[in-house]
Amino acid sequence: MRSARTLRTASALRALTCALILAAGMGTNPAAAFGTAAAHTPINATTAAERVNFHKWTTQADFQSGTAAGVTAPAGDRQGISISTPVGTYRYKDPYLHTTNTWAYSTWTSPSYAPGFGATELVSSWDAQTPAGTWLKVELNATMEDGHRTGWLTMGMWASGDSDIARTSTSPSAGIYGQVNTDTFNAASGHTLQSYQLRATLYRLTTSPASPRLWQLGAFASNVPARTGVTAGPLGGAEGIELAVPRYSQQIHVGEYKQYGGGGDAWCSPTSSEMIAEFWGAGPTAADVAWVDPSYADPNVDYAARSTYDYAYKGTGNWPFNAAYASHYGLDAEVVQLPSVGDLETLVKAGIPVAISVAFDNGELTGSGYGTAGHLMAVVGFTGSGDFIVDDPFSPSDTAVRHVYLRGQLENIWLRTYWTRSDGSTHYGTGGVAYVYTPHDKALPAVADPQNPTW
């Protein structure tokens, strides 16, 4: 029998979607956005109940430890890798833009990395900038429990803009070993990932000297058991802290730009990403949003939606595309699973808001007034008694975005992997997926959990 997490991501109800907002009196509405969090150095949590590992390559030494073909990794902070001498050309016919171009490319392949346990899920993320005329592709090659490898599986084809390529997932199959579902590799029942490599291919037009710059490439691997809930964790010392995160409503954008998901229910992930990016002083310029209809409020949200839109998935909820959007502004951004609410509190105490990925029925989260098969919201603080203070973009106006949600309810909803609805059907959760975006000079805190002593 497959785990609840495998069933979830293999189904149309996977947590990527902000879909199926089930508000009282609203019926069922399709949508498309959801998300995950991040951290900066390896997150490792190993307990009898769950195993989570985040690993990244980001320093010059990290990139020198891999195999470079036509890329250079100069010395200096966050220099990353760029094309030096292309090793080949690739003619790509874009199925969405209906353009055909020839691209020069170079590659970097990571060393093999073993998370230390058999993982059932992996999500990669990257930090990069792609000037006009450039883009990049990230791939995964997993070694499974029987020693066989999956072969290279595309995890995303990405550019910050959408004039050179249409950023897209491809959801390749690994045969009997599993499947990439949009942005998540799910091992098939009876199989586990033991180690993996990531490969980045950097592309530029053959007529251009420009190059992408990739300064971080990483992934979380996890094995979280099926669970309908978690034991409530103790208060973590963030009580009474509330961060001044800007508040944006996704709902005021209903019907805007159907080619990017149409606003409203579909835009929770980019709306949450934009709120956190702007908390750090990042975000689009007036020139960036000049294309937005001037009658639309909060054009930055429209820009974020366009900049995270996945043309294959047909939505803005691709987790690494949201992290990469934040990195486009120079922020460090990662997609991870966090083992506990204590990790959220540690981040908030350090002044870092976190976006979390949740799913729940109407009535399960007091004060929300809706249910969802997948949604993203920003945790910005905790009340004096430890309840969550959340900027929830599924609100009718910007001024209504701030919510206080009961600690036990939201903790359970965020960390569970499935639940049974009143009609007997099964719906699924992410087991702690979140986004963490910070400036590079922002020190990340040590994590109090002794199972997870470094960030």
Side-chain angles (χ1 to χ4, degrees):
M1 179 178 177
R2 291 186 294 173
S3 72
R5 293 182 62 74
T6 301
L7 287 168
R8 168 184 62 78
T9 49
S11 76
L13 296 175
R14 71 180 300 273
L16 252 185
T17 65
C18 207
L20 300 178
I21 296 292
L22 307 175
M26 290 180 62
T28 301
N29 301 311
F34 195 67
T36 342
H40 285 68
T41 56
I43 292 179
N44 300 291
T46 304
T47 69
E50 68 179 292
R51 294 173 174 86
V52 179
N53 174 275
F54 179 84
H55 185 77
K56 67 180 181 182
W57 291 270
T58 191
T59 66
Q60 183 189 39
D62 289 338
F63 287 117
Q64 289 176 339
S65 72
T67 301
V71 301
T72 184
D77 189 39
R78 300 174 87 215
Q79 293 301 303
I81 55 172
S82 301
I83 296 173
S84 54
T85 304
V87 296
T89 59
Y90 172 57
R91 191 164 176 81
Y92 178 57
K93 183 177 182 179
D94 194 302
Y96 306 102
L97 297 183
H98 307 292
T99 57
T100 301
N101 286 300
T102 300
W103 303 88
Y105 69 86
S106 298
T107 66
W108 180 83
T109 305
S110 78
S112 181
Y113 177 76
F117 55 87
T120 57
E121 181 169 286
L122 181 143
V123 176
S124 60
S125 55
W126 54 88
D127 292 350
Q129 292 175 329
T130 53
T134 73
W135 58 284
L136 62 82
K137 177 172 65 176
V138 171
E139 297 168 283
L140 162 74
N141 193 2
T143 300
M144 306 304 286
E145 80 293 334
D146 61 3
H148 284 88
R149 308 198 77 181
T150 60
W152 290 105
L153 306 170
T154 298
M155 301 298 287
M157 300 169 64
W158 181 81
S160 57
D162 54 13
S163 59
D164 293 308
I165 67 158
R167 81 186 64 78
T168 185
S169 55
T170 63
S171 297
S173 171
I176 65 170
Y177 295 107
Q179 172 81 37
V180 176
N181 295 289
T182 304
D183 56 10
T184 304
F185 172 74
N186 295 112
S189 177
H191 294 285
T192 57
L193 175 154
Q194 299 297 314
S195 64
Y196 64 89
Q197 290 177 283
L198 297 179
R199 181 169 70 189
T201 303
L202 309 184
Y203 296 91
R204 73 182 185 198
L205 288 170
T206 55
T207 56
S208 172
S211 172
R213 182 174 67 90
L214 173 72
W215 71 83
Q216 181 167 299
L217 181 62
F220 80 73
S222 67
N223 189 333
V224 179
R227 60 192 183 199
T228 58
V230 297
T231 302
L235 297 179
E239 300 90 316
I241 296 173
E242 182 172 358
L243 306 176
V245 175
R247 297 169 186 162
Y248 288 137
S249 164
Q250 69 194 76
Q251 291 305 101
I252 67 173
H253 298 278
V254 171
E256 297 177 6
Y257 299 109
K258 292 183 179 180
Q259 68 268 41
Y260 309 126
D265 295 358
W267 284 5
C268 63
S269 194
T271 306
S272 295
S273 289
E274 188 63 27
M275 288 191 287
I276 294 177
E278 291 191 23
F279 171 75
W280 296 115
T285 65
D288 290 333
V289 300
W291 58 272
V292 179
D293 186 322
S295 70
Y296 293 165
D298 301 339
N300 289 6
V301 173
D302 298 82
Y303 180 84
R306 178 177 178 176
S307 299
T308 55
Y309 188 76
D310 177 341
Y311 281 77
Y313 174 61
K314 297 182 180 179
T316 59
N318 184 304
W319 291 341
F321 286 7
N322 273 265
Y325 169 69
S327 79
H328 163 66
Y329 295 116
L331 297 174
D332 286 347
E334 293 148 8
V335 177
V336 299
Q337 274 180 300
L338 299 179
S340 72
V341 69
D343 296 317
L344 287 179
E345 291 188 271
T346 298
L347 288 163
V348 169
K349 283 190 293 184
I352 301 168
V354 180
I356 62 172
S357 185
V358 295
F360 53 91
D361 284 333
N362 192 15
E364 283 196 288
L365 187 59
T366 302
S368 66
Y370 65 93
T372 173
H375 183 53
L376 202 80
M377 57 180 69
V379 177
V380 303
F382 292 86
T383 68
S385 60
D387 290 332
F388 286 78
I389 305 174
V390 169
D391 281 357
D392 186 347
F394 192 79
S395 302
S397 67
D398 290 354
T399 56
V401 162
R402 182 186 185 275
H403 290 260
V404 173
Y405 290 141
L406 294 176
R407 182 186 184 88
Q409 290 181 349
L410 189 51
E411 177 182 10
N412 206 58
I413 286 166
W414 172 53
L415 293 173
R416 70 188 177 186
T417 63
Y418 77 99
W419 80 99
T420 302
R421 303 189 66 195
S422 59
D423 62 3
S425 63
T426 301
H427 279 220
Y428 302 96
T430 66
V433 168
Y435 302 150
V436 177
Y437 308 152
T438 62
H440 185 64
D441 60 0
K442 175 67 176 178
L444 284 164
V447 175
D449 183 351
Q451 299 289 345
N452 187 12
T454 59
W455 198 256

